[in-house]
Amino acid sequence: THQDVFGAVADADFTVAEAAEYLEVSVPTFRRYVQSKRITPKHIVGRNQFFATTELKSFKRSLRAVKGH
């Protein structure tokens, strides 16, 4: 389950790849979410973007609502 995989990182920041995996979408799809400002990075270091766990959880709930889960 996601809790098994991601439970230990409750307050950690996610990279793009980690965030995409958490949301169960592809990296290109996740990048489109960022580009359209549906989700924003918590901070940027160089070319690397990092995303807050709390925002990802909230966004995932909104995705589930749209999908009807």
Side-chain angles (χ1 to χ4, degrees):
T1 68
H2 277 288
Q3 182 61 30
D4 294 335
V5 176
F6 298 106
V9 293
D11 294 323
D13 294 336
F14 284 65
T15 64
V16 168
E18 292 166 340
E21 182 179 350
Y22 177 74
L23 295 175
E24 301 178 66
V25 298
S26 67
V27 170
T29 296
F30 183 78
R31 290 190 189 281
R32 282 193 294 276
Y33 292 151
V34 174
Q35 187 175 25
S36 66
K37 305 217 185 307
R38 291 181 67 189
I39 192 163
T40 56
K42 179 179 178 182
H43 61 273
I44 300 171
V45 178
R47 294 178 61 192
N48 299 307
Q49 298 174 321
F50 297 91
F51 299 85
T53 304
T54 54
E55 185 174 2
L56 291 172
K57 284 181 182 180
S58 175
F59 189 73
K60 187 168 186 168
R61 279 192 296 274
S62 72
L63 289 177
R64 285 184 182 159
V66 170
K67 290 180 182 178
H69 289 105

